[in-house]
Amino acid sequence: MKRRSFDLPLAWIATTALSIAVFLITVHAGEAADCKPGQSDGQCGLSTFTGVVEGAGAGLGLFVVGTVCILIVACRRRRKSRQTVEKG
């Protein structure tokens, strides 16, 4: 029975899109929690800054982990295909 496999470039594009979406959502959440016009509390801009930093960290982490996992799968597939070619 053949195992179902997935398309690696498509998985990498999906991982990249998801990491960008996480970054943008986190930045937008930080901007939404920031000071409104006419409001001043001495920390205006802090929420936007933390949103950018946390979003960049989460997005980059997701991108790196996803890319490493996809590379591991690709290397295993390549090794397996080489073994089947050498046997056959």
Side-chain angles (χ1 to χ4, degrees):
M1 187 164 138
K2 185 176 179 180
R3 289 177 41 183
R4 291 182 56 181
S5 63
F6 58 93
D7 190 20
L8 294 179
L10 183 62
W12 185 77
I13 290 171
T15 301
T16 303
L18 183 63
S19 64
I20 291 171
V22 165
F23 172 71
L24 293 176
I25 289 170
T26 308
V27 168
H28 181 66
E31 289 173 350
D34 216 349
C35 295
K36 307 297 181 238
Q39 180 185 11
S40 179
D41 66 356
Q43 293 183 349
C44 291
L46 181 63
S47 183
T48 301
F49 175 74
T50 57
V52 169
V53 170
E54 291 172 357
L60 184 64
L62 182 63
F63 177 75
V64 168
V65 169
T67 301
V68 168
C69 289
I70 290 170
L71 287 174
I72 290 171
V73 170
C75 288
R76 286 182 180 173
R77 283 185 183 178
R78 183 174 292 157
R79 185 179 304 141
K80 186 175 181 181
S81 68
R82 283 183 186 167
Q83 289 175 351
T84 56
V85 168
E86 290 173 0
K87 287 181 182 179

